[in-house]
């Protein structure tokens, strides 16, 4: 029997099963074409097609470094340190020439000392804002291509900015993001608030030891209360390190600080890069002269283990340390006692040999500024913030600096208390017993206690019990409340005592907040920015918050209501308004 005889059975044909018995097939198109793309279900297909809409890039720009990464990550993908080598053009191979590294004086001539290692300066007078945008664009494109591995598709961007950043610098960053990366929107988050979130707290006193200035910000319930600043920061420390190394080279202490840039380009001068490396690797901070008293604890005191071989304290160790300085012409090796390596930090951050009345408002020592910041806060805010002190910034990595600042603040709080009125007149007034008349009490001693005379029921002796103060009587124990607290694992709020809390940093806090869909302080759309620019920013009080909170759920997810879409009011939040 021939297999080719007859037609194929109907149940053997696939076309008859799917579309029935067709007598004719469909005509093929005359020209080649791309078939329409169907949406693959997310349960079976790759989420790469929809990932670009959900990806949010977290960027934390600073004066010296730039951190870039995705929202939800534990750490940034790329940390950029600005320098003169990153500003070379394509095809510039001068870095491989003989003597290029030693010829740093010629490249640094005519510019402020160390300006090539900065992205921007807080003093915007005379700055080239277009150059700042070009530097930022180059580093971002390099990070997107090599480290984040993303294409040029528009993505939402979240910026983590310090609250003291000038508005012209914010405008330059916005122009770069919107015009060169086509970001649909930019959200703004505050660095101190994100530092508190990364520490797991809602309130904190954030001490940011940055490059240009040290800022102290009080955060209460994720809101900034006030910000204080001082110029005692990383740049002043590097300049003091230069003077310290220059004195070690010449063998005598310098009588005046070197202000001219030409004097820092001499043959005996040290380069900016070597000064910064010396400050990062070698400097340390001493302990305070008088240690704060430790709180008495119940039970036996804890015996701290000590190394028996260590017989000399670090502050008294005068063993010479040999340091080779290669940027000098010719290179030199100097010997510096180990105890003297703490002098630059002592002179920059504390200035113990000067009276507090000698400082201007912009150059107050860090520990004194932190104490005054706590003193100016309201009572309830101070009680919460003083138990959640957070240190951030590059200078916080110096050995012993955080502990020294905390000990100095503790000593000031112990000596002066929380009374804003201080001075010799106040001390004489408190010490003079003649001014305390009958029954008059000072406000610092608290309210007048009410005493209760307790009768002695003992029949053995006729002694009477001394009067008891009701304020010192322990409260009655409520067993029901105790059971509820045990079931809910209740822990009392720590407040009223000084304590330091570690934080993962502002970038990690912004990553957590963005991943949890927490609303930003301010959100700027690309279309509104191109229409209005920086001049379109309104004050926060002029924005209709109720209209922005009206939302509806549509096919594309969470969509703002028509009232907020029609409104063109937007604000820069805590960064001010034009």
């Amino acid at each position: 029997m021939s297999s080719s005889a007859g037609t194929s059975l109907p149940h053997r044909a696939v076309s008859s099963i799917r579309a029935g018995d067709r007598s004719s097939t469909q005509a093929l198109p005359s020209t080649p074409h791309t078939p329409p793309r169907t949406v693959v279900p997310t349960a079976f297909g790759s989420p790469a097609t929809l990932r670009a809409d959900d990806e949010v890039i977290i960027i934390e720009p600073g004066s010296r470094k730039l951190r870039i990464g995705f929202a939800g990550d534990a750490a940034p993908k790329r940390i950029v340190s600005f320098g003169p080598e990153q500003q070379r053009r394509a095809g510039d191979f001068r870095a491989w020439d003989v003597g290029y590294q030693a010829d740093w004086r010629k490249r640094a001539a005519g510019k402020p000392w160390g300006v090539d290692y900065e992205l921007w300066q807080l003093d915007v007078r005379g700055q080239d804002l277009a150059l700042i945008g070009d530097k930022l664009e180059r580093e971002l494109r390099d990070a997107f291509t090599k480290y984040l591995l993303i294409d040029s598709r528009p993505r939402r961007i979240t910026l983590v900015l310090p609250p003291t950043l000038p508005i012209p610098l914010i405008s330059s960053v916005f122009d770069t993001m919107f015009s060169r990366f086509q970001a649909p929107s930019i959200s703004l988050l505050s660095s101190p608030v994100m530092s508190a979130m990364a520490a797991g707290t809602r309130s904190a006193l954030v001490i940011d030891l940055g490059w240009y200035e040290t800022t102290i910000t009080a955060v209460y319930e994720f809101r900034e209360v006030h910000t204080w600043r001082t110029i005692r920061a990383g740049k002043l420390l590097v300049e003091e390190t230069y003077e310290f190394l220059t004195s070690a080279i010449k063998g005598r202490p310098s009588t005046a600080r070197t202000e001219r840039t030409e004097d820092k380009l001499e043959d005996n001068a040290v380069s900016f890069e070597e000064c910064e490396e010396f400050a990062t690797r070698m400097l340390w901070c001493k302990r305070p002269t008088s240690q704060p008293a430790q709180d008495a604890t119940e039970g036996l005191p804890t015996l701290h283990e000590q190394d028996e071989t260590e017989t000399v304290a670090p502050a008294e160790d005068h063993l010479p340390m040999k340091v080779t300085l290669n940027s000098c012409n010719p290179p030199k090796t100097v010997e510096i006692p180990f105890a003297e390596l703490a002098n630059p930090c002592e002179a920059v951050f504390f200035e113990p040999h000067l009276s507090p009345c000698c400082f201007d408002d912009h150059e107050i020592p860090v520990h004194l500024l932190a104490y005054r910041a706590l003193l100016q806060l309201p009572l309830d805010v101070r009680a919460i913030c003083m138990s959640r002190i957070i240190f951030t910034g590059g200078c916080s990595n110096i050995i012993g600096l955080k502990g020294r600042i905390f000990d100095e603040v503790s000593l000031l709080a112990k000596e002066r208390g929380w009374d804003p009125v201080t001075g010799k007149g106040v001390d004489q007034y408190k010490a003079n017993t003649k001014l305390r008349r009958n029954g008059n009490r000072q406000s610092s001693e608290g309210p007048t206690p009410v005493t209760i005379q307790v009768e002695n029921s003992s029949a053995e002796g006729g002694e009477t019990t001394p009067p008891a103060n009701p304020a010192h009587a322990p409260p009655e124990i409520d067993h029901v409340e105790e059971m509820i607290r045990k079931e809910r694992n209740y822990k009392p709020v720590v407040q009223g005592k000084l304590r330091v809390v570690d934080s993962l940093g502002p970038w990690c806090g912004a990553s957590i907040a963005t991943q949890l869909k927490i609303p930003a302080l301010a959100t700027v759309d690309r279309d509104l920015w191109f229409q209005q620019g920086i001049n379109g920013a309104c004050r926060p009080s002029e924005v209709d918050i109720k209209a922005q909170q009206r939302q509806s759920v549509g096919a594309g997810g969470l969509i703002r209501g028509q009232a907020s879409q029609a409104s063109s009011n937007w604000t820069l939040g805590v960064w001010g308004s034009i």
Side-chain angles (χ1 to χ4, degrees):
M1 183 176 179
S2 178
S3 60
S4 61
T7 59
S8 61
L9 298 177
H11 66 276
R12 299 266 181 104
V14 180
S15 60
S16 63
I17 297 174
R18 293 183 177 177
D21 189 8
R22 298 181 181 178
S23 58
S24 62
T25 59
Q26 296 180 356
L28 295 177
S30 58
T31 57
H33 72 286
T34 303
R37 184 177 182 179
T38 58
V39 179
V40 182
T42 57
F44 304 100
S46 174
T49 56
L50 302 177
R51 184 179 178 184
D53 298 333
D54 298 335
E55 281 179 344
V56 180
I57 300 176
I58 310 296
I59 301 176
E60 182 190 356
S63 300
R64 297 293 310 281
K65 292 185 178 182
L66 180 69
R67 293 175 175 85
I68 313 167
F70 292 112
D73 292 351
K77 296 289 186 182
R78 173 66 169 162
I79 300 178
V80 181
S81 297
F82 293 95
E85 299 299 329
Q86 298 173 347
Q87 303 176 19
R88 294 188 294 112
R89 295 182 179 181
D92 187 0
F93 301 105
R94 290 180 298 173
W96 285 269
D97 291 344
V98 178
Y100 178 79
Q101 298 296 335
D103 196 17
W104 60 270
R105 294 173 177 83
K106 182 178 180 181
R107 298 189 300 271
K111 294 179 289 186
W113 192 63
V115 70
D116 292 335
Y117 296 85
E118 302 171 351
L119 174 61
W120 58 48
Q121 301 175 6
L122 294 184
D123 187 3
V124 297
R125 294 174 296 180
Q127 282 200 72
D128 189 356
L129 299 181
L131 180 60
I132 295 175
D134 293 340
K135 289 182 180 180
L136 188 62
E137 180 192 4
R138 181 169 186 173
E139 297 301 334
L140 288 177
R141 290 195 183 280
D142 183 72
F144 289 170
T145 306
K146 296 182 180 180
Y147 298 93
L148 274 67
L149 303 178
I150 58 177
D151 53 9
S152 59
R153 188 177 303 176
R155 286 171 173 83
R156 290 181 297 154
I157 294 177
T158 298
L159 293 178
V160 187
L161 302 177
T164 58
L165 192 64
I167 292 180
L169 297 181
I170 298 178
S171 176
S172 178
V173 174
F174 274 38
D175 289 335
T176 303
M177 298 298 177
F178 282 133
S179 60
R180 304 180 186 181
F181 295 95
Q182 289 79 38
S185 64
I186 296 179
S187 302
L188 299 180
L189 295 176
S190 177
S191 297
V193 178
M194 294 300 103
S195 299
M197 174 168 285
T201 61
R202 303 171 63 91
S203 307
L205 185 72
V206 182
I207 302 178
D208 185 5
L209 301 169
W211 172 247
Y212 271 106
E213 59 185 10
T214 296
T215 59
I216 300 178
T217 307
V219 179
Y220 185 74
E221 294 296 330
F222 294 137
R223 289 182 175 89
E224 296 182 13
V225 180
H226 199 273
T227 300
W228 299 265
R229 65 178 74 181
T230 178
I231 62 172
R232 300 183 179 273
K235 186 175 183 179
L236 189 62
L237 179 64
V238 175
E239 292 178 355
E240 185 67 25
T241 304
Y242 173 84
E243 301 294 338
F244 178 74
L245 293 178
T246 304
S247 302
I249 292 174
K250 296 180 180 179
R252 63 181 186 276
S254 58
T255 57
R257 183 181 295 273
T258 305
E259 298 292 344
R260 297 176 57 190
T261 306
E262 293 78 6
D263 298 338
K264 296 182 180 180
L265 301 178
E266 299 176 352
D267 292 340
N268 293 332
V270 187
S271 65
F272 177 87
E273 185 177 0
E274 195 162 18
C275 283
E276 184 184 17
E277 185 179 3
F278 182 87
T280 304
R281 294 177 178 268
M282 302 295 294
L283 297 186
W284 62 285
C285 189
K286 296 179 181 179
R287 294 182 178 180
T289 54
S290 57
Q291 294 292 333
Q294 300 292 334
D295 296 335
T297 57
E298 297 181 359
L300 297 176
T302 304
L303 180 61
H304 299 281
E305 296 182 1
Q306 296 181 356
D307 189 2
E308 297 180 356
T309 60
E310 183 181 356
T311 57
V312 181
E316 301 176 358
D317 187 3
H318 296 281
L319 184 67
M321 308 291 293
K322 293 185 178 180
V323 180
T324 303
L325 303 176
N326 296 320
S327 60
C328 297
N329 189 16
K332 297 182 180 180
T333 301
V334 296
E335 293 185 355
I336 303 175
F338 180 78
E340 295 183 5
L341 294 177
N343 293 341
C345 287
E346 195 82 7
V348 170
F349 294 103
F350 301 101
E351 290 280 0
H353 59 279
L354 294 180
S355 175
C357 61
C358 299
F359 304 109
D360 291 336
D361 292 341
H362 68 285
E363 57 180 11
I364 301 177
V366 178
H367 67 286
L368 185 59
L369 184 64
Y371 172 75
R372 291 182 179 180
L374 290 172
L375 196 62
Q376 295 175 13
L377 292 176
L379 184 61
D380 54 344
V381 178
R382 181 202 308 161
I384 294 293
C385 291
M386 68 185 298
S387 300
R388 295 158 181 83
I389 300 177
I390 299 175
F391 290 94
T392 60
C395 294
S396 62
N397 298 323
I398 298 177
I399 298 176
L401 182 58
K402 294 188 290 186
R404 172 67 182 277
I405 296 175
F406 178 79
D407 292 342
E408 293 287 353
V409 174
S410 301
L411 287 173
L412 289 174
K414 180 183 176 182
E415 295 174 358
R416 305 181 184 180
W418 301 109
D419 189 0
V421 182
T422 57
K424 295 182 179 180
V426 177
D427 297 338
Q428 295 176 0
Y429 177 78
K430 292 180 179 179
N432 193 348
T433 57
K434 295 182 180 180
L435 299 178
R436 299 192 178 189
R437 299 182 179 179
N438 298 331
N440 291 342
R441 295 174 54 86
Q442 302 296 326
S443 59
S444 60
E445 299 179 1
T448 304
V450 179
T451 58
I452 300 177
Q453 186 71 24
V454 180
E455 297 180 357
N456 189 8
S457 58
S458 176
E460 296 180 358
E463 298 180 358
T464 59
T465 306
N469 188 356
H472 299 161
E476 297 181 359
I477 299 177
D478 191 347
H479 299 283
V480 178
E481 291 289 340
E482 291 292 333
M483 292 178 61
I484 294 175
R485 291 177 180 177
K486 290 181 180 180
E487 291 178 357
R488 298 181 178 180
N489 195 16
Y490 173 77
K491 295 181 180 179
V493 179
V494 180
Q495 60 179 1
K497 63 178 182 180
L498 293 171
R499 187 185 63 165
V500 177
V501 179
D502 292 333
S503 175
L504 297 177
W507 191 95
C508 295
S511 177
I512 297 172
T514 307
Q515 184 70 13
L516 297 177
K517 308 296 182 182
I518 297 178
L521 292 177
T523 301
V524 183
D525 294 334
R526 182 170 180 265
D527 297 336
L528 291 178
W529 178 264
F530 284 152
Q531 293 175 4
Q532 304 174 4
I534 193 66
N535 296 323
C538 304
R539 294 182 177 86
S541 58
E542 298 176 357
V543 179
D544 190 1
I545 301 178
K546 294 298 182 180
Q548 290 187 350
Q549 292 178 351
R550 299 192 188 105
Q551 298 174 347
S552 61
V553 178
L558 195 61
I559 305 176
R560 291 187 178 273
Q562 296 180 357
S564 60
Q565 291 180 358
S567 177
S568 61
N569 292 334
W570 56 278
T571 175
L572 291 176
V574 298
W575 290 270
S577 58
I578 299 298

